[in-house]
C-alpha cells in the first residue's frame, strides 16, 4: 500500500515537474501544465492509467486548497477586505443572481429537468478561488487594484456559496424555499465569522509574536501550520468549507509582525500541494466524456466566460469602479471550480439531479481553467480596444456615473457624531454576535450526554444549568460593555437629535429622557435576546429566574474587573486594525560614510512585464551598461544581501541599487526599457 502511494505521488510530481519546465520554456502559465499533466497520467487516457490510487491524490489535493486559500489570507488581510468589501459584495451579488438565471434558462434550453437546470445555474455562479489565486500570482498581478477587488469578490462568493448550498438543500428535499432554515444558516455563519475573527485578532498575532522570540524558523512554521490545519478542521466540523476556514485563519495571521517571514516559509509548501491540486483536476477529465457531451460542454463554457465577464464587469462598475478596473475584474473571474463540484455532488447525493451533471461541471471547469490565464493576460488589449472603439458619448456617461457613484460614499455623513454613532452601533452588534456564539456552543455541548461528566451530576438539568452559568460568566464583560455602549449611544443621540431649535424650553428634559430611554430599551432587548438563547439550556421559568438572581450578584461583584477585561480586549482589537503607515515610494536612504559621499542608493520594483524577469544578474549586464550595481534584493519579506551574478530576478523583487546619482537613474531606465533599447 505504501509503495503504491509513493509510486503515485512520484508519478504526479515527476510529470508535473516536466510540464512545469516545458511550459516555462514556452512562456505559458504553469497551471495549464499541471492540468495537462493530470490528463496525461489520468485513468481515462490510454493506453493504461499511471495512477493506481486516485483517492489518495484527491486527498492530497485538498491540502492544495488549504494552502492556496491560506496564502491568499496571508496576502489579502482584513484591512484590504474592508477597503473593497462594499464593492465586492455588490459585484458578487449581481454576478450570482445573473448567472443563476442564465444557467437555469440554458439548462431548460437543453431540455433538462428543472432541478438539473437550477443546480446548473448555481454551479455557474461561483468562480474558482484557487485557480484565480494561482493564475494571478503566477502572472504577477496579485497586488494590483483589480486583483484586490477580485479577491474580495471571491471571498464574498465563498461565503454566499454556503448560503446557496443551504437554499438548494432545502429546495431539493422539500420542493419549496424554507426561509427559516436559510435565516438560521446565515445567522450561524455570521456568528462564526464574527467570533473567530475577534478572538483570533486579539489572541493569534500576540501568540505568534511570542513564538517568534525563539528565533527558530522551524518552530514558527510548525506553529503556523498547526493553526492553519486546526482552524480548517474546526470550520469543516461546523459545516463550512475548508477553503473558508483556511482563508479566515490566514487573514488573522496576516496581522502579526512577522508576516513577511511566515509568507516566505509557507510558499514552498503551498507550491508543492497546489501542484497536486491542479494535477488532480486533470485526473478527473475524461476525453471520451468530452466527445459525448461536446455541445453542452462547449456551450456552457462559452456562457461561463461571456456571462461572467459581463456580469462581473457590470457588478464591479455598478459598485463605483471605473471601466478599466471593471473589465479587468470580469476577465479574471470567467471560470468555475471547486464550489461548482460541491454543488454538483450535492445534487447527486440528494438524488435530485442527473448523473451527467457532475462530469460536465468538471469538464467545463477544466476548459475555463485553461482559458483563465490567457483572459487575464489579454485584459489590457480589451481595455485598449474599448477605449478606442467605444463612442465618446458612452465613455463620457460611464465616467460620469463612476464619479457619481464615488461621490455617494463621500456624501455619507462624515461628522464626528455620526462616526461615533456608527462605531458604537457596530460594537454593539459585534458584542451580541459573540454572546450568541458562546450560548450556541453551550447549547451544542448540552445537546448530548458526555461520558466524562461525573455521575453525580444530572445530565438533563444540572449539566445544562452549569453550562448556562459558565456562558454568563464568559459573556459578562460583553454584556457590561454593551450596556456602557448603549449609555454612550443614548447620550450621543440625545445631544445630536434633540436640539433647542426642535424642543424649545423642554430641551434638557427631553435630552435626559432620550439618554435614559436608549439604554433601557437596549437592556430590555438584551434580556429578551438572552431568554431566546437560554431556551435550550434552562427548561423552567423558576430556574431561569433563579439564574437571573445569580447573574445580578455576579454582575455586582465583577463589574469593575469585567470593564477592565472588555477595555483591554477592545484596545487590542483597535490596535490590530489601526491604519498602517503608508509605504513610501523609495526606501529611506541611510547616512553613508565619507568615502561614499558621492554615492546614491535607490530602489526599483520589478513588474511582471519587465524584460529582466527570469534572467540572471550576469545576463542583464547592468553594471557594464550603467555603472550601478544591485547590492540587495527584497523578495517575499526576505532580504538577500550582495546577491551573486547567478541570482535570478523575479517579478515583485525590490532591488537596492548602488552608484552615483546618474548611474542609479540610468539603471532604472535600463530596467524599465525593452531589451532592444537596453542592449
Amino acid at each position: 500500500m505504501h509503495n503504491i502511494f509513493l509510486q503515485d505521488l512520484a508519478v504526479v510530481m515527476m510529470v508535473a515537474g516536466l510540464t512545469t519546465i516545458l511550459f516555462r520554456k514556452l512562456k505559458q502559465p504553469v497551471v495549464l501544465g499541471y492540468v495537462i499533466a493530470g490528463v496525461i497520467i489520468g485513468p481515462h487516457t490510454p493506453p493504461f492509467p499511471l495512477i493506481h490510487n486516485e483517492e489518495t491524490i484527491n486527498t492530497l489535493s485538498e491540502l492544495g486548497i488549504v494552502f492556496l486559500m491560506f496564502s491568499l489570507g496571508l496576502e489579502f488581510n482584513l484591512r484590504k477586505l474592508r477597503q473593497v468589501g462594499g464593492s465586492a459584495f455588490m459585484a458578487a451579488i449581481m454576478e450570482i443572481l445573473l448567472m443563476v438565471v442564465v444557467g437555469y434558462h440554458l439548462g431548460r434550453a437543453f431540455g433538462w429537468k428543472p432541478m438539473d437546470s437550477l443546480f446548473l445555474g448555481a454551479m455557474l455562479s461561483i468562480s474558482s478561488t484557487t485557480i484565480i489565486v494561482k493564475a494571478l500570482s503566477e502572472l504577477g498581478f496579485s497586488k494590483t487594484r483589480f486583483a484586490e477587488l477580485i479577491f474580495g469578490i471571491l471571498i464574498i462568493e465563498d461565503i454566499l456559496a454556503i448560503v446557496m448550498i443551504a437554499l438548494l438543500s432545502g429546495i431539493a428535499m422539500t420542493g419549496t424555499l424554507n426561509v427559516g432554515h436559510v435565516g438560521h444558516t446565515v445567522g450561524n455563519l455570521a456568528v462564526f465569522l464574527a467570533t473567530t475573527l475577534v478572538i483570533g485578532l486579539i489572541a493569534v498575532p500576540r501568540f505568534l509574536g511570542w513564538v517568534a522570540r525563539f528565533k527558530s524558523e522551524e518552530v514558527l512554521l510548525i506553529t503556523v501550520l498547526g493553526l492553519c490545519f486546526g482552524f480548517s478542521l474546526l470550520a469543516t466540523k461546523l459545516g463550512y468549507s475548508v477553503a473558508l476556514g483556511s482563508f479566515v485563519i490566514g487573514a488573522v495571521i496576516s496581522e502579526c509582525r512577522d508576516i513577511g517571514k511566515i509568507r516566505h516559509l509557507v510558499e514552498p509548501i503551498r507550491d508543492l500541494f497546489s501542484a497536486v491540486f491542479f494535477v488532480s483536476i486533470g485526473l478527473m477529465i475524461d476525453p471520451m466524456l468530452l466527445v459525448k457531451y461536446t455541445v453542452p460542454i462547449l456551450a456552457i463554457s462559452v456562457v461561463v466566460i461571456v456571462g461572467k465577464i459581463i456580469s462581473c464587469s457590470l457588478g464591479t462598475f455598478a459598485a463605483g469602479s471605473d471601466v478599466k478596473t471593471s473589465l479587468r475584474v470580469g476577465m479574471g473571474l470567467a471560470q468555475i471550480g471547486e464550489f461548482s463540484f460541491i454543488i454538483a455532488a450535492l445534487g447527486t447525493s440528494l438524488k435530485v439531479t442527473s448523473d451527467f451533471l457532475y462530469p460536465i461541471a468538471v469538464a467545463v471547469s477544466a476548459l475555463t481553467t485553461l482559458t483563465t490565464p490567457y483572459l487575464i493576460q489579454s485584459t489590457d488589449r480589451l481595455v485598449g480596444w474599448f477605449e478606442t472603439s467605444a463612442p465618446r458619448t458612452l465613455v463620457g456617461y460611464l465616467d460620469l456615473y463612476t464619479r457619481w457613484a464615488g461621490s455617494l460614499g463621500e456624501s455619507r455623513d462624515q461628522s464626528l457624531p455620526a462616526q461615533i454613532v456608527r462605531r458604537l452601533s457596530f460594537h454593539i452588534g459585534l458584542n451580541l454576535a459573540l454572546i450568541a456564539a458562546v450560548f450556541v456552543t453551550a447549547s451544542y455541548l448540552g445537546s448530548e450526554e458526555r461520558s466524562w461528566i461525573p455521575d453525580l451530576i444530572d445530565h438533563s438539568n444540572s449539566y445544562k444549568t452549569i453550562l448556562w452559568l459558565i456562558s454568563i460568566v464568559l459573556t459578562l464583560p460583553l454584556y457590561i460593555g454593551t450596556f456602557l455602549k448603549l449609555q454612550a449611544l443614548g447620550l450621543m443621540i440625545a445631544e445630536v437629535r434633540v436640539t433647542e431649535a426642535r424642543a424649545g424650553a423642554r430641551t434638557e428634559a427631553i435630552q435626559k429622557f432620550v439618554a435614559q430611554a436608549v439604554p433601557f430599551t437596549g437592556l430590555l432587548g438584551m434580556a429578551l435576546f438572552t431568554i431566546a438563547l437560554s431556551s435550550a439550556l434552562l427548561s423552567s421559568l423558576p430556574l431561569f429566574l433563579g439564574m437571573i438572581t445569580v447573574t445580578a450578584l455576579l454582575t455586582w461583584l465583577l463589574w469593575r474587573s469585567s470593564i477592565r477585561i472588555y477595555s483591554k480586549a477592545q484596545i487590542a482589537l483597535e490596535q490590530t486594525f489601526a491604519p498602517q503607515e503608508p509605504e513610501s515610494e523609495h526606501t529611506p536612504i541611510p547616512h553613508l560614510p565619507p568615502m561614499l559621499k558621492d554615492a546614491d542608493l535607490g530602489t526599483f520594483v520589478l513588474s511582471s512585464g519587465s524584460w529582466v524577469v527570469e534572467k540572471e544578474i550576469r545576463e542583464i549586464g547592468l553594471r557594464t551598461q550603467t555603472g550601478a550595481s544591485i547590492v540587495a534584493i527584497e523578495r517575499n519579506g526576505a532580504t538577500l544581501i550582495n546577491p551573486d551574478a547567478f541570482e535570478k530576478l523575479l517579478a515583485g523583487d525590490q532591488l537596492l541599487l548602488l552608484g552615483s546619482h546618474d548611474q542609479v537613474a540610468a539603471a532604472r531606465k535600463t530596467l524599465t526599457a525593452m531589451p532592444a533599447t537596453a542592449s
Side-chain angles (χ1 to χ4, degrees):
M1 182 67 182
H2 295 292
N3 290 335
I4 292 176
F5 167 74
L6 182 59
Q7 177 181 328
D8 289 347
L9 186 59
V11 169
V12 168
M13 298 313 299
M14 286 191 295
V15 177
L18 290 173
T19 54
T20 300
I21 296 171
L22 177 62
F23 274 68
R24 279 295 184 192
K25 287 290 185 182
L26 297 175
K27 299 186 182 302
Q28 299 299 315
V30 174
V31 64
L32 306 184
Y34 293 147
V35 176
I36 292 175
V39 176
I40 294 173
I41 65 178
H44 309 294
T45 303
F48 54 84
L50 298 176
I51 297 296
H52 296 84
N53 192 348
E54 189 177 339
E55 183 178 351
T56 302
I57 302 301
N58 291 335
T59 301
L60 290 175
S61 73
E62 292 185 10
L63 296 177
I65 297 177
V66 171
F67 282 111
L68 278 170
M69 294 303 298
F70 182 62
S71 299
L72 174 59
L74 294 179
E75 294 286 344
F76 192 74
N77 59 30
L78 295 170
R79 290 185 183 90
K80 294 180 181 178
L81 185 60
R82 186 172 61 177
Q83 291 170 1
V84 302
S87 300
F89 183 79
M90 182 180 294
I93 288 290
M94 183 172 291
E95 175 203 0
I96 289 175
L97 291 177
L98 289 176
M99 292 307 297
V100 167
V101 172
V102 170
Y104 177 82
H105 286 289
L106 179 63
R108 297 299 289 162
F110 286 137
W112 295 353
K113 297 182 300 183
M115 198 60 70
D116 286 335
S117 302
L118 179 62
F119 272 76
L120 175 64
M123 287 159 42
L124 302 190
S125 65
I126 307 295
S127 299
S128 172
T129 303
T130 49
I131 293 170
I132 297 172
V133 170
K134 181 67 174 177
L136 288 173
S137 175
E138 190 177 307
L139 296 172
F141 292 129
S142 296
K143 296 185 179 180
T144 58
R145 166 64 181 172
F146 83 90
E148 291 181 356
L149 269 172
I150 286 176
F151 293 154
I153 292 171
L154 290 170
I155 299 307
I156 300 298
E157 277 187 3
D158 287 350
I159 294 173
L160 294 177
I162 297 170
V163 180
M164 188 184 303
I165 289 173
L167 279 168
L168 291 172
S169 300
I171 294 173
M173 289 186 292
T174 64
T176 58
L177 178 61
N178 190 333
V179 178
H181 178 63
V182 175
H184 183 263
T185 301
V186 173
N188 285 345
L189 179 60
V191 169
F192 166 74
L193 291 175
T195 306
T196 53
L197 287 176
V198 171
I199 296 177
L201 289 170
I202 292 174
V204 171
R206 287 157 181 79
F207 171 66
L208 290 179
W210 174 75
V211 171
R213 295 177 187 172
F214 291 102
K215 303 295 182 182
S216 170
E217 292 186 347
E218 179 183 1
V219 173
L220 182 60
L221 175 62
I222 298 303
T223 304
V224 167
L225 294 183
L227 289 172
C228 172
F229 284 107
F231 194 81
S232 298
L233 176 63
L234 175 63
T236 56
K237 290 292 185 180
L238 295 176
Y240 305 115
S241 70
V242 68
L244 180 63
S246 53
F247 169 80
V248 170
I249 191 61
V252 169
I253 292 176
S254 71
E255 302 296 339
C256 75
R257 293 181 179 179
D258 296 280
I259 182 59
K261 184 183 293 185
I262 292 172
R263 289 172 184 156
H264 178 68
L265 294 173
V266 170
E267 186 174 309
I269 307 174
R270 177 204 66 190
D271 292 341
L272 167 64
F273 287 105
S274 63
V276 179
F277 168 73
F278 289 108
V279 170
S280 70
I281 291 180
L283 292 175
M284 293 188 288
I285 299 176
D286 184 355
M288 297 304 297
L289 188 70
L290 297 179
V291 174
K292 183 177 180 181
Y293 291 102
T294 300
V295 174
I297 290 173
L298 290 178
I300 294 171
S301 298
V302 171
V303 168
V304 167
I305 294 172
V306 176
K308 281 187 172 286
I309 290 175
I310 294 174
S311 62
C312 295
S313 298
L314 284 176
T316 308
F317 179 74
S321 296
D322 57 73
V323 175
K324 295 180 183 179
T325 302
S326 301
L327 288 174
R328 289 188 173 103
V329 170
M331 296 284 278
L333 288 167
Q335 78 293 115
I336 61 174
E338 56 280 355
F339 256 116
S340 302
F341 303 159
I342 294 173
I343 292 172
L346 175 67
T348 302
S349 64
L350 295 176
K351 302 185 185 305
V352 295
T353 58
S354 304
D355 294 336
F356 59 78
L357 201 59
Y358 186 88
I360 285 180
V362 173
V364 172
S365 174
L367 287 178
T368 53
T369 297
L370 294 174
T371 61
T372 295
Y374 299 109
L375 289 173
I376 295 175
Q377 287 177 320
S378 62
T379 52
D380 289 337
R381 289 195 295 272
L382 176 64
V383 170
W385 171 84
F386 180 83
E387 289 179 339
T388 56
S389 304
R392 295 296 92 192
T393 305
L394 175 61
V395 174
Y397 279 122
L398 294 177
D399 290 340
L400 181 64
Y401 173 82
T402 301
R403 290 195 296 271
W404 173 78
S407 67
L408 291 179
E410 298 175 358
S411 63
R412 187 176 64 170
D413 190 355
Q414 298 295 334
S415 62
L416 181 60
Q419 292 180 16
I420 294 175
V421 169
R422 285 196 293 268
R423 178 180 294 184
L424 290 172
S425 301
F426 172 75
H427 287 171
I428 291 171
L430 189 60
N431 290 345
L432 294 178
L434 294 174
I435 291 171
V438 173
F439 276 94
V440 168
T441 303
S443 299
Y444 169 75
L445 294 175
S447 61
E448 299 179 11
E449 293 188 359
R450 310 290 170 178
S451 59
W452 44 267
I453 303 174
D455 293 335
L456 54 92
I457 297 179
D458 178 41
H459 285 262
S460 59
N461 291 318
S462 301
Y463 173 52
K464 292 182 178 181
T465 303
I466 292 172
L467 285 175
W468 186 91
L469 192 58
I470 293 173
S471 301
I472 284 293
V473 172
L474 291 176
T475 56
L476 192 58
L478 294 171
Y479 276 109
I480 294 175
T482 302
F483 178 72
L484 296 177
K485 299 287 184 186
L486 287 169
Q487 285 184 321
L489 184 63
L491 290 171
M492 183 60 63
I493 293 175
E495 186 70 26
V496 173
R497 294 299 180 185
V498 184
T499 61
E500 190 171 350
R502 294 180 178 179
R506 303 181 61 187
T507 300
E508 186 176 351
I510 297 176
Q511 284 180 339
K512 289 182 179 180
F513 173 78
V514 172
Q516 295 174 1
V518 170
F520 176 78
T521 305
L523 195 61
L524 182 61
M526 282 196 295
L528 296 175
F529 182 65
T530 305
I531 292 173
L533 293 174
S534 305
S535 59
L537 295 172
L538 301 179
S539 55
S540 64
L541 182 60
L543 182 61
F544 179 77
L545 294 176
M547 288 297 100
I548 290 296
T549 304
V550 174
T551 302
L553 179 62
L554 289 174
T555 302
W556 179 71
L557 293 173
L558 302 176
W559 181 272
R560 291 187 177 181
S561 58
S562 296
I563 292 177
R564 283 197 299 269
I565 293 172
Y566 183 82
S567 299
K568 289 181 179 179
Q570 182 173 316
I571 291 171
L573 195 61
E574 289 179 351
Q575 287 177 346
T576 301
F577 279 111
Q580 295 177 333
E581 295 182 2
E583 298 180 359
S584 58
E585 184 178 355
H586 303 294
T587 55
I589 299 175
H591 294 291
L592 300 176
M595 69 178 65
L596 295 176
K597 62 181 180 180
D598 295 326
D600 188 18
L601 283 174
T603 59
F604 184 85
V605 179
L606 289 181
S607 65
S608 59
S610 176
W611 68 278
V612 303
V613 171
E614 299 293 337
K615 292 184 181 294
E616 296 175 355
I617 293 178
R618 63 186 178 89
E619 293 179 315
I620 65 176
L622 187 66
R623 185 173 182 180
T624 303
Q625 297 180 57
T626 66
S629 301
I630 299 174
V631 295
I633 301 174
E634 183 178 344
R635 179 182 299 157
N636 298 323
T639 302
L640 178 63
I641 305 297
N642 195 22
D644 60 41
F646 296 95
E647 181 66 32
K648 184 178 289 187
L649 301 178
L650 304 177
D653 283 355
Q654 181 168 331
L655 311 180
L656 181 62
L657 306 173
L658 175 64
S660 68
H661 179 76
D662 293 337
Q663 288 171 340
V664 171
R668 285 201 181 103
K669 186 176 181 181
T670 300
L671 293 170
T672 307
M674 296 299 293
T677 53
S679 58

